[in-house]
Amino acid sequence: MLLPNEIYEVLKIVRSHESWRRFECINLIASENIMSPLAKALYVTDMMHRYAEGRPGKRFYQGSRYIDAIELKVSELLSCLFNVRFIEPRAPSGTIANAIAFKALADAGDTAAVVSISSGAHISHTSRGILGALGIKQIELPFSTELWNIDVDQAMKIIEVARPKLIVLGASLYLFPHPTKQLAEAAHSIGARLVHDAAHVLGLIAGGIWTNPLHEGADVVTASTHKTFPGPQGGLVMTNDENVFKALSSHVLTFVSNHHIHRFPALAVTTIEMKYFGESYALQTIRNAKTFAEALVAEGIPVVAENMGYTKSHMVAIDVRKFGGGAKIAKVLEEANIIANKNLLPWDRQEEAYNPSGVRFGVQEMTRFGMREKDFEEVAKLIADIIVRGRDPAEIRKKVIEFRKMFTKIYYGFDMPEEFNKSVEEFLNLGI
Ligand SMILES: Cc1ncc(COP(=O)(O)O)c(C=O)c1O
């Protein structure tokens, strides 16, 4: 029997997306990544149909004995990988992880100190996002474009005078680690708490390339599990403080009913992969980012934070004001199948979000597809062909599609033994 036409229409959309983004684009969105075949295979199981409100062993629903087992397992694996005492994995996204943390640590009418959106904060850190929804007031932490970081001395003065209840670090444009240690001391000296949103850099922390902010004095770390950490889309919260953990966990149900349990097997597998291969992946990622930044500059494209060495993360940001602005450049790159996003830079006003000065790149996904330093030099040339040399994006698109054919296999890390891959294939052939 022929299927209804609508089904073919749906299939066509999905197939078109799959062949375009998975095989024909150079994906440089800094908040995205790709799961391993093993994690992907474990993502679609019966668990995606189930509810399990509450905590393992204390559920409001029957039928969750294996859900309890996987939730405990994933928490244990994450605790070990990040060397922390308590993990709350039920946040289905980084935004909800922030909501849970902010709600647990502050009340309506309290104040939180955060950097501005233009200087990198995520919208959930601000009065336009979760902070505002919870009635928490926002004051700004000063940002220095010289250091491309929070101005610690000024920030300490502001904290001392304004006495916020919360200090929120971590960012969406996150090139260099925020000064957690100093600001945690400042927070604790006035009885405030420090939340570090490590959404973007969780994979770099897992690989040991960035320090876990909890080990530098943060009270709580929130994160997404799908940016540099190449797991399923989701969030998590971690802490070493038992009372804080109890407060966090008691607020999960404020924001989440069904916590999308089918993420957990994929998250568990990704966590194990990161335990074995995370370091080489993270190292290659930051090497690629640095080389990419230098190559862009060599091609005549201004990269921010030049005096600081451009980046210590997976991200690179270019200032494209002289080429017509971020909106125009992100769009023309997309025409050439190079996918990135326009981005505010610290001197932009928030109202300029639709045409900011910058474009943000992340190298983590293409690193997972096997790209190394010399490949990112090629990518920089392709970008300059469009931005600097004004070549026709349609012509460059053909080159991008050809180039991308060399990078279709997903690497866990660069020291992965071939037998590992073979065993994964055998395991997958067994079916679930
Ligand atoms: C720093 C930061 N925190 C939180 C989030 C939100 O994460 P999610 O998309 O998982 O809700 C983002 C999104 O990119 C982010 O950049």
Side-chain angles (χ1 to χ4, degrees), residues 30-32 92-98 120-125 169-174 197-201 222-227 233-235 315 360:
S31 54
E32 296 178 349
S93 73
T95 301
I96 300 296
N98 283 338
H122 185 250
I123 192 157
S124 61
H125 304 173
L169 304 185
S172 300
L173 178 60
Y174 205 13
D197 179 344
H200 266 279
V201 291
T222 58
S224 303
T225 53
H226 53 268
K227 300 186 197 298
Q233 292 201 339
M315 281 185 204
R360 183 186 69 165

Side-chain angles (χ1 to χ4, degrees), residues 51-55 57-64 90 253 257:
Y51 269 81
E53 281 178 13
R55 303 192 184 100
K58 272 181 93 180
R59 304 287 193 190
F60 295 97
Y61 289 74
Q62 298 312 122
S64 50
R90 287 179 292 165
L253 272 179
S257 168

Side-chain angles (χ1 to χ4, degrees), residues 104-397:
L105 298 177
D107 295 312
D110 287 338
T111 303
V114 301
V115 297
S116 68
I117 290 197
S118 310
S119 303
H122 185 250
I123 192 157
S124 61
H125 304 173
T126 72
S127 42
R128 291 194 60 215
I130 296 293
L131 218 58
L134 295 175
I136 302 168
K137 288 181 272 181
Q138 179 191 345
I139 56 166
E140 201 169 305
L141 289 172
F143 192 83
S144 153
T145 46
E146 270 300 296
L147 303 169
W148 209 270
N149 213 324
I150 292 166
D151 180 330
V152 178
D153 294 337
Q154 288 298 327
M156 291 220 195
K157 284 186 194 141
I158 289 170
I159 290 166
E160 217 177 292
V161 174
R163 301 183 79 80
K165 186 89 171 275
L166 270 186
I167 290 160
V168 182
L169 304 185
S172 300
L173 178 60
Y174 205 13
L175 301 172
F176 303 97
H178 282 170
T180 303
K181 192 165 178 296
Q182 292 101 313
L183 295 192
E185 278 165 16
H188 297 153
S189 73
I190 55 154
R193 304 275 199 182
L194 189 137
V195 177
H196 192 124
D197 179 344
H200 266 279
V201 291
L202 192 69
L204 305 181
I205 295 170
I209 304 302
W210 273 44
T211 306
N212 186 336
L214 274 192
H215 303 149
E216 295 184 304
D219 298 283
V220 170
V221 167
T222 58
S224 303
T225 53
H226 53 268
K227 300 186 197 298
T228 50
F229 196 87
Q233 292 201 339
L236 59 83
V237 192
M238 44 182 150
T239 182
N240 280 327
D241 181 321
E242 191 163 7
N243 289 330
V244 170
F245 179 64
K246 282 185 185 152
L248 294 168
S249 289
S250 73
H251 282 297
V252 172
L253 272 179
T254 314
F255 300 100
V256 185
S257 168
N258 175 8
H259 55 283
H260 301 182
I261 298 139
H262 63 292
R263 300 178 286 126
F264 288 158
L267 183 57
V269 163
T270 310
T271 308
I272 297 164
E273 290 165 354
M274 289 301 277
K275 172 177 165 186
Y276 289 99
F277 308 120
E279 187 181 355
S280 54
Y281 154 70
L283 265 174
Q284 190 62 47
T285 298
I286 58 162
R287 276 194 215 121
N288 283 347
K290 180 100 172 158
T291 303
F292 187 37
E294 286 163 357
L296 287 163
V297 169
E299 293 288 342
I301 300 172
V303 175
V304 304
E306 185 176 4
N307 58 334
M308 298 301 295
Y310 307 114
T311 182
K312 278 196 172 155
S313 74
H314 59 302
M315 281 185 204
V316 172
I318 56 176
D319 175 0
V320 288
R321 280 175 291 183
K322 71 173 182 187
F323 300 111
K328 177 182 159 199
I329 295 304
K331 194 158 182 308
V332 80
L333 289 176
E334 183 187 23
E335 283 169 35
N337 280 6
I338 297 172
I339 310 294
N341 65 281
K342 55 180 175 285
N343 216 94
L344 289 164
L345 295 178
W347 45 83
D348 290 328
R349 284 178 298 117
Q350 211 171 296
E351 304 77 66
E352 288 169 315
Y354 287 100
N355 189 21
S357 302
V359 171
R360 183 186 69 165
F361 298 120
V363 300
Q364 70 294 337
E365 178 176 339
M366 298 319 298
T367 301
R368 292 267 289 169
F369 276 115
M371 282 195 189
R372 300 222 184 190
E373 288 92 325
K374 65 178 181 356
D375 306 308
F376 276 97
E377 285 168 1
E378 278 311 304
V379 177
K381 278 197 192 112
L382 292 166
I383 291 173
D385 278 345
I386 301 163
I387 303 184
V388 181
R389 293 183 275 279
R391 301 262 300 270
D392 179 5
E395 189 194 318
I396 304 302
R397 184 167 63 231

